[in-house]
Amino acid sequence: MATTGHAAHRIIEKHAGARDALIPILQDIQAEEGYLSQEALEAVSEGMSIPLIQVYGVATFFRAFSLEPRGRRVVCACTGTACHVRGASAVLDELERQLGVCAGQTTGDGEYSLETVNCLGACALGPVVVVDGINHGHMTRADVQHLLGGEPESAGADR
Amino acid sequence: MIELTIDGAKVRAEEGMTVLEAARTQGIVIPTLCHFDGLSPYGVCRVCVVEVVKGKRSSLEASCTLPASEGLVIRTGSPRVQRARKVVMELLLSTSPKSKLLQDMAANMGVTKVRFQQKDRDCILCGLCVRYCEQQMQSGGLGFVGRGVSRRVGTAFDEMPEECRNCGGCEWVCPVCEQACRADDLIDGLCGGCLNAVPVESCPICTECSQSVGAEGHRTFR
């Protein structure tokens, strides 16, 4: 409690505790700790004098926030309309099969978290899979193996 | 003072009043669900829709959040408004078919069938409890959690919030959990009693209900 509380308080101070800075504060905490712990949210609520439920409501509203610890590497598959019609569900199935977890879960060894997102705004590249912040476009089932194999520049990588 | 026209009658309203408040000063009844005196207008249930006439055209707007302005022409009971309200009631009933208040209102509006899939969520997300907790009790233990179809009213981490004083206001103000419809079987998503299939005196459900079926009494729509 003490350490996360400190981190949250320090981040709130950095943002001068302004009420409209709630989302940037949560983003900073998530960037630092990988997820939003109950202690962190309680510290934010206390530090900013906002009821806990409002902080919790914001944290549960946005898909970008996670209330549970995430794996070391985050695999995020886009299932938006454009990616969907280009076969995102097959790619997601393959990711789920190879990682052995469903979307929204973390592998038992804490290595991978598999998530879905509704649109990344990179529809021309669809289906898109983001691994650790790097976009991989035009994904197919076959590309998934390369992606999870840890090869940084797989066939479908755009950057 | 502003002058507007509601149902053909000239109504004088004060600056800052909503159309709903202006209508109520004249005794014009507009049904509401998410509106509550003393709480901020929210405009989510859409039961209070009225028709705003603009020349040859008209639009449907929620009267509880529509500010009264000079020269506004409002119709509160036109066929278009009645049709819209019926659909709104059907949508609300499809999420909370057990609510007696919703069943009563639907009956009064002449809804005879709910055409949408029944979900039985026991919440219409009107936000009355959330606003009551925040604005009347100055507590703020309740709020909305999640987003889209998984949006629900809840507390942080589903734990009893520290702010809660057990006042029970959230349950008292709730249009859904306040009183349950006693009907065992719903016909087309509606309570048989409220559907007015039988006269009130011999209706087994109505005679057990503590409330009558609204201000208009027991009307038969079939």
Side-chain angles (χ1 to χ4, degrees), chain B residues 139-203:
Chain B
S139 166
L142 275 177
F144 289 107
V145 178
R147 158 186 208 171
V149 286
S150 58
R151 185 171 156 97
R152 62 187 174 87
V153 170
T155 58
F157 301 100
D158 291 325
E159 287 171 5
M160 191 72 174
E162 279 174 28
E163 297 96 333
C164 181
R165 278 169 265 161
N166 276 319
C167 71
C170 45
E171 283 182 27
W172 174 74
V173 82
C174 178
V176 174
C177 63
E178 166 221 32
Q179 193 179 12
C181 177
R182 290 157 182 252
D184 294 329
D185 298 309
L186 299 179
I187 309 157
D188 294 337
L190 290 164
C191 150
C194 297
L195 197 54
N196 304 338
V198 279
V200 65
E201 293 77 15
S202 54
C203 171

Side-chain angles (χ1 to χ4, degrees), chain A residues 63-85:
Chain A
R63 284 296 268 286
F65 294 129
S66 171
L67 295 182
E68 263 145 44
R70 296 203 287 182
R72 205 173 60 78
R73 304 186 69 186
V74 179
V75 179
C76 193
C78 180
T79 55
T81 312
C83 290
H84 177 77
V85 296

Side-chain angles (χ1 to χ4, degrees), chain B residues 62-74:
Chain B
S63 61
C64 68
T65 51
L66 181 66
S69 57
E70 187 66 42
L72 214 56
V73 181
I74 303 288

Side-chain angles (χ1 to χ4, degrees), chain B residues 112-128:
Chain B
T112 51
K113 189 180 182 183
V114 176
R115 293 165 291 178
F116 304 103
Q117 194 192 349
Q118 304 280 307
K119 296 215 185 87
D120 215 352
R121 291 229 174 97
D122 284 343
C123 181
I124 55 169
L125 297 173
C126 65
L128 273 178

Side-chain angles (χ1 to χ4, degrees), chain A residues 25-154:
Chain A
I25 286 169
L26 293 181
Q27 281 173 327
D28 284 2
I29 294 173
Q30 168 137 327
E32 204 160 292
E33 298 179 358
Y35 76 110
L36 300 172
S37 61
Q38 183 166 353
E39 291 77 33
L41 292 187
E42 280 165 1
V44 169
S45 157
E46 200 180 310
M48 298 178 72
S49 307
I50 298 176
L52 180 60
I53 181 64
Q54 290 191 18
V55 180
Y56 185 75
V58 171
T60 54
F61 185 86
F62 293 103
R63 284 296 268 286
F65 294 129
S66 171
L67 295 182
E68 263 145 44
R70 296 203 287 182
R72 205 173 60 78
R73 304 186 69 186
V74 179
V75 179
C76 193
C78 180
T79 55
T81 312
C83 290
H84 177 77
V85 296
R86 288 164 178 238
S89 54
V91 174
L92 183 60
D93 283 349
E94 187 65 14
L95 282 166
E96 287 182 338
R97 195 183 67 78
Q98 291 209 10
L99 292 173
V101 292
C102 291
Q105 293 179 337
T106 303
T107 52
D109 57 3
E111 184 69 10
Y112 286 101
S113 280
L114 180 59
E115 292 177 358
T116 60
V117 66
N118 288 330
C119 188
L120 291 163
C123 302
L125 294 175
V128 180
V129 175
V130 185
V131 181
D132 294 336
I134 297 176
N135 287 14
H136 299 270
H138 306 301
M139 290 296 295
T140 61
R141 272 176 182 269
D143 294 331
V144 169
Q145 181 77 52
H146 297 287
L147 201 61
L148 299 178
E151 295 169 29
E153 287 303 314
S154 65

